[in-house]
Amino acid sequence: MTLEDLSRLQFALTAMFHIMFPAMTVGLSVFLTVVYGMYWKTKKPVFLQMFRFWRRIFGVGFALGVVAGAVLTFEFGLNWGVFARETGPIIGPIIAMEVVTAFFVEAGFIGVLLYGDGRVKERTMFIACLLVAIGTLLSTTWILVANSWMQTPAGFERAPDGTFLPTNWWEIIFNPSFPLRFTHMFLAVLISASVVIAGIAAWYLIKGRSLAFAKRSFSISLGVLAVLLPIQISVGDDVALEVVVEHQLPKFAAIEGHWQTNSSGYYLFIVTDQPNQENAASVEVPLLGSFIGQDLSGQLQTPGVSDVEPDPAEQPPVWMVFWGFRIMFYGSIILFAIAMSSVVLRLRGRLYDSPRFHRVCLWAAPVGILAILGGWVTAETGRQPWVVYGHLRTEDAVSDLAPAHLVFSVIGFIVVYAIMLAAYIGYIVWAVKRGPEHDLPGAETHDDLDDDLEFASVDAGRAPAGKGGDASHAGESPPGDERGDRLGEEGRPS
């Protein structure tokens, strides 16, 4: 591998590891704000139970995300010194704004969110949650500003030494791709967090444990998915048409996987042979590409990579762009089907009484995060061979380092990130098995839990064991008595 390949691999590993945590924590910060606000307003202990449980997962993910994000900043200077020097007058202030706005807000109130429950007023807790959510949103904003400027650079001029000098900060911040890409990413993190919440809640429903907590979490998360996924699919279509097609046509051609402009079909699967400018194998649906392009006549042909960019050296790596997009697209289809199924089940009154659907939600928990990773692979590899599109080539932006040093650090990063990711997943599994707290003030006598436990309150003549309403939970103890949870862990007597 070349020096450029190693530098790109190391940065890609760090960026992909880092993005998994904002994919969870940004959405969870909004969710925590909502559920704590509902607790503050209604005083229902189930919302406090939800807040305390999801706060644990948020806190650990937030810490790991900060650590991984800090590494990216060092890599700018170490691995990509030419890029840092030439784009510093623009990228530097943007990253500084993230620190000044996002990190200061988060650092000022994250302690209250994590440790203030029961120690400060409920109004103070809610404000702290809200400000942490705003901080995570500001962090997402500035990162998207920087990356979108690299995708569609604007508002600058080049100095004789190659430095990018800002001439219009409004055009830099609101560059052509930023508004739609920011909206797309913000919806994506809300969706990915909701999918994880729904999956974990589904596990509790399958096990018949902590049903008040599980039903509330399941209902809210699936409601968010049902509302946001149709919007997200529409926004994603706008990103493709108004950003990619207008500003990065080779990326669009690589997404579609066609080498010549001679087909209106849509590839579901390809094996690329880029040196020969063809696909070694493919599965195509005729006319579907034209229909997706909103031409119902079937005459609209998809641009071919070789026709859009005849020079192979200027083409993006088609297989990475194609499959990155397919992971994102197929993931969105799966989640859309789950969201619409939840609407049907909710209308039929069976949202909490469908074990098969619950298992689908459980296995789909990581799909939102995988879709985000696929989207970023599409965006970043589709920009190649440019790091600042059309102005600074990737091979010219890399630092002049010893490849052997990079090999050592890449291997070290892989090992460390694998350990950290395994530890985080292990912590989530431990937290889920432990379950939410049950010793909440007032929970023993709160009447609203009767409705929440209707799923479990059945008699032997109405719901046989194994259908989510077995006899072991017919009289599940309210929060404050963990007998019901112990039965759920140790087995279900018939």
Side-chain angles (χ1 to χ4, degrees):
M1 299 182 71
T2 65
L3 177 63
E4 178 191 350
D5 292 333
L6 288 168
S7 296
R8 287 179 60 189
L9 176 60
Q10 186 174 54
F11 195 88
L13 288 171
T14 308
M16 293 180 72
F17 179 75
H18 167 68
I19 198 64
M20 287 189 288
F21 298 103
M24 277 283 292
T25 56
V26 176
L28 275 180
S29 67
V30 176
F31 182 79
L32 289 174
T33 304
V34 171
V35 296
Y36 195 85
M38 296 174 74
Y39 169 69
W40 180 30
K41 179 180 179 180
T42 66
K43 298 297 185 292
K44 292 182 179 180
V46 66
F47 292 121
L48 182 59
Q49 188 183 45
M50 293 164 62
F51 172 80
R52 290 179 175 176
F53 176 85
W54 295 110
R55 180 182 57 184
R56 299 182 213 159
I57 296 174
F58 167 82
V60 176
F62 182 87
L64 291 175
V66 169
V67 172
V71 175
L72 284 172
T73 306
F74 286 103
E75 288 184 9
F76 278 135
L78 295 174
N79 296 59
W80 302 95
V82 178
F83 167 81
R85 179 182 63 81
E86 295 193 6
T87 66
I90 291 177
I91 298 296
I94 293 174
I95 300 300
M97 285 301 297
E98 183 195 10
V99 174
V100 170
T101 59
F103 284 179
F104 280 15
V105 172
E106 292 169 343
F109 293 93
I110 188 70
V112 180
L113 185 151
L114 295 177
Y115 304 110
D117 182 22
R119 296 179 174 88
V120 300
K121 294 181 179 179
E122 292 172 354
R123 179 188 302 171
T124 305
M125 272 296 298
F126 176 75
I127 293 174
C129 294
L130 180 62
L131 289 174
V132 170
I134 292 173
T136 61
L137 179 59
L138 286 172
S139 182
T140 303
T141 301
W142 291 113
I143 292 300
L144 264 294
V145 167
N147 188 265
S148 296
W149 180 83
M150 293 161 62
Q151 299 279 352
T152 53
F156 71 95
E157 63 181 12
R158 297 293 294 275
D161 64 351
T163 304
F164 291 79
L165 300 177
T167 58
N168 188 319
W169 278 105
W170 183 265
E171 292 181 2
I172 290 172
I173 294 173
F174 294 97
N175 58 78
S177 64
F178 168 71
L180 280 173
R181 293 186 76 234
F182 169 76
T183 305
H184 194 47
M185 185 60 187
F186 181 57
L187 291 173
V189 295
L190 294 179
I191 289 170
S192 64
S194 298
V195 175
V196 172
I197 293 170
I200 292 176
W203 184 84
Y204 284 109
L205 292 175
I206 293 169
K207 296 296 183 180
R209 289 183 53 190
S210 305
L211 294 174
F213 161 86
K215 290 175 66 177
R216 294 281 189 179
S217 299
F218 199 59
S219 177
I220 293 174
S221 58
L222 288 176
V224 170
L225 290 179
V227 172
L228 294 187
L229 272 165
I231 301 173
Q232 175 71 315
I233 292 174
S234 176
V235 172
D237 188 59
D238 291 339
V239 171
L241 295 177
E242 299 181 25
V243 175
V244 180
V245 171
E246 291 190 15
H247 299 279
Q248 298 176 333
L249 194 55
K251 179 192 289 186
F252 179 77
I255 286 173
E256 298 302 320
H258 294 268
W259 294 97
Q260 287 78 37
T261 310
N262 58 7
S263 173
S264 60
Y266 184 83
Y267 282 131
L268 300 177
F269 176 93
I270 64 171
V271 177
T272 61
D273 182 4
Q274 192 148 358
N276 293 319
Q277 302 286 282
E278 64 181 11
N279 292 323
S282 62
V283 176
E284 183 180 13
V285 179
L287 305 179
L288 182 58
S290 178
F291 296 161
I292 292 176
Q294 301 177 9
D295 180 4
L296 299 182
S297 69
Q299 302 301 311
L300 180 66
Q301 294 185 337
T302 303
V305 178
S306 299
D307 294 330
V308 171
E309 181 49 74
D311 185 359
E314 301 294 317
Q315 296 170 353
V318 173
W319 75 272
M320 295 185 72
V321 182
F322 179 91
W323 284 110
F325 180 83
R326 290 307 180 281
I327 290 172
M328 177 180 66
F329 179 67
Y330 293 158
S332 68
I333 296 301
I334 292 171
L335 297 182
F336 182 79
I338 289 174
M340 294 304 102
S341 298
S342 74
V343 173
V344 173
L345 289 172
R346 192 188 298 269
L347 293 175
R348 296 177 60 190
R350 297 190 60 236
L351 184 62
Y352 313 119
D353 191 20
S354 180
R356 184 177 300 175
F357 178 69
H358 299 159
R359 291 187 179 90
V360 171
C361 291
L362 174 61
W363 286 104
V367 170
I369 296 175
L370 292 176
I372 288 178
L373 292 176
W376 276 99
V377 168
T378 303
E380 298 304 285
T381 60
R383 184 181 61 204
Q384 299 304 316
W386 304 96
V387 64
V388 178
Y389 195 77
H391 295 276
L392 179 61
R393 297 178 69 88
T394 307
E395 62 184 5
D396 298 329
V398 68
S399 300
D400 186 14
L401 302 174
H405 295 169
L406 275 181
V407 170
F408 175 78
S409 63
V410 167
I411 294 173
F413 274 45
I414 292 174
V415 172
V416 171
Y417 288 160
I419 293 173
M420 293 174 67
L421 182 59
Y424 184 56
I425 294 174
Y427 175 79
I428 293 177
V429 172
W430 172 83
V432 170
K433 288 184 176 180
R434 178 187 177 190
E437 298 179 15
H438 285 269
D439 55 342
L440 300 180
E444 296 84 357
T445 59
H446 208 289
D447 294 336
D448 75 289
L449 292 180
D450 294 339
D451 294 332
D452 291 325
L453 296 174
E454 182 183 356
F455 176 71
S457 299
V458 295
D459 57 86
R462 288 171 50 207
K467 291 293 184 180
D470 50 70
S472 67
H473 291 280
E476 185 180 52
S477 304
D481 181 349
E482 297 182 354
R483 176 178 176 273
D485 273 2
R486 290 197 300 272
L487 285 175
E489 293 172 350
E490 298 167 3
R492 300 179 177 182
S494 59

